Structures are given as structure tokens and as C-alpha cells.
Amino acid sequence: MKRFFDLAIILLASPIWIPVLLLLALCVWAALGRPVLFRQPRPGLNGRIFHLWKFRTMTNARDAQGQLLADAQRLTRFGRWLRSTSLDELPEVLNVLKGDMSLVGPRPLLVQYLDRYTPEQRRRHEVRPGITGWAQVRGRNALSWEEKFKLDVWYVDHQSLWLDLRILALTVGQVLRRTGISAAGEATMPEFRGSAPNHQPGVPPEAH
């Protein structure tokens, strides 16, 4: 049912997202050159690795030793605009069509985080990752990692068609307001280095 819902929404909206996708691809090519898309391995359902697609938002600027500069230094003005509008996420529609992702679900994070989750946090991989999710509409990158993971697990336990519709509707408002784009003092979020050993995940907040 969820897979049918994803495909139905994407196909019905294709006259809107396909022209926007092509136009943005041209803009990224003009502003940043090639490659237009950023491709990165991410863990999906049950931790299976897939390649996530996003529009490129950073340059490949490096220091004297050949190391990539910090994200904040490589993020261009155009790239910052793409992120603030969440339009850099649009190519993930292709991941949904392929079956690696869903429209709604926990955001797919970095592969190196897999060994840093508590058993409870790891439950976020019991569903397909999403372009948007419960944590995204409840604070996005303004939340701590632990808060995000609690919300992700809450979604796993309470997922339904109506909840997905609510999250999609709330996502529109979130994008228009451009809230929670980054954590304080960060281009996006600080690296997740694992929860404290004595950290006990609490009961995720109820939906209101």
C-alpha cells in the first residue's frame, strides 16, 4: 500500500517535478559545473546500502594538502539557496521510483553511523528511508541527534497512510518557512559520534 501510494503521488505530480528537475540541473551545471548530481552510499531498509542522489551544492575546493575544505567553506551561495528551499533533495524522487526510498520515512544518514546507533536507534532502518519524515517536520536539523532518532522510531511504530499524508502536508509548510535548515554554527548537522553509553532513549513524543 505504501509503495503504491509513493508511485501514485510521484506519477501524478510528474508534470510539475520533471520540468523543475531539468531546470535545476541546468542551473547547477551553470553555477557549479559537472557533476550536477551528488551520489553517496547510504543505508536503507534493513541497513542495505544504496546510492542516494542529490543536486550538488558544494565546490571541490581543497587546502594545500589536497584535503577537502570544511562544508561551510565549500557551500556556495546558490548551493545554500538550494538547501534552504530543499530543492537539492528533488533527485531523490528517482531513488523512490527505484524502490530504495519512500516519500516519507526516516532520513537516510551516513554509512559510518551504522555502528554508532543504540539497538533502539537502529530500528529506524526497519522501514525505507524517506525524502521527508516525522523528524523533519518536528524540527529538522534544529533537533539533537537523540531527538531525531526518537522521532524516527516513533514513526516506525506508528506509520500509516494518514500519518504520511500529514507529514507531506507539514513538509510543504516547513519548506516555505525554511526553518530548521541547519544546526547552530553548522552548515547542516555536526557528525553523529554515537550516543553516550548511559543514554536510554525515552518514549518518543506523541503526535498532536
Side-chain angles (χ1 to χ4, degrees):
M1 183 66 181
K2 186 175 177 68
R3 179 68 177 152
F4 174 80
F5 171 77
D6 287 342
L7 294 176
I9 293 293
I10 289 175
L11 293 176
L12 288 172
S14 60
I16 298 173
W17 68 261
I18 290 178
V20 173
L21 184 77
L22 295 176
L23 177 61
L24 287 175
L26 287 174
C27 292
V28 173
W29 176 76
L32 295 169
R34 299 174 61 186
V36 169
L37 295 179
F38 171 73
R39 181 174 181 262
Q40 188 177 56
R42 298 286 178 96
L45 179 64
N46 298 320
R48 184 178 64 84
I49 306 302
F50 71 99
H51 284 92
L52 175 138
W53 296 93
K54 297 174 70 172
F55 279 124
R56 183 178 166 207
T57 58
M58 298 183 186
T59 69
N60 290 322
R62 298 174 183 268
D63 60 21
Q65 288 71 45
Q67 299 295 318
L68 285 172
L69 296 177
D71 288 357
Q73 294 175 278
R74 295 187 294 120
L75 186 61
T76 65
R77 180 178 296 180
F78 176 67
R80 188 172 287 107
W81 176 81
L82 276 180
R83 290 191 179 194
S84 71
T85 59
S86 298
L87 288 172
D88 63 316
E89 311 280 358
L90 188 57
E92 292 170 31
V93 171
L94 304 177
N95 288 118
V96 178
L97 288 173
K98 188 180 175 185
D100 292 325
M101 293 179 64
S102 178
L103 288 176
V104 178
R107 286 291 300 161
L109 302 176
L110 299 178
V111 174
Q112 58 262 39
Y113 292 177
L114 283 173
D115 294 332
R116 304 176 187 178
Y117 297 133
T118 66
E120 179 73 3
Q121 292 168 349
R122 197 172 292 116
R123 293 191 58 225
R124 67 194 308 277
H125 293 293
E126 292 178 8
V127 297
R128 283 189 179 90
I131 295 179
T132 186
W134 187 232
Q136 278 58 54
V137 299
R138 302 288 286 186
R140 200 175 175 184
N141 289 335
L143 301 171
S144 69
W145 283 115
E146 281 72 20
E147 289 171 326
K148 280 187 175 186
F149 296 149
K150 288 179 185 179
L151 292 168
D152 288 341
V153 173
W154 188 92
Y155 173 80
V156 170
D157 290 334
H158 296 82
Q159 59 180 313
S160 68
L161 176 60
W162 296 114
L163 180 59
D164 282 4
L165 287 170
R166 180 184 177 190
I167 291 171
L168 289 172
L170 289 171
T171 298
V172 174
Q174 185 100 7
V175 169
L176 292 176
R177 291 192 302 272
R178 302 187 187 184
T179 56
I181 297 167
S182 61
E186 300 285 342
T188 51
M189 280 287 290
E191 180 180 354
F192 174 62
R193 299 185 181 278
S195 297
N198 60 353
H199 173 71
Q200 295 294 327
V203 178
E206 293 294 333
H208 296 292

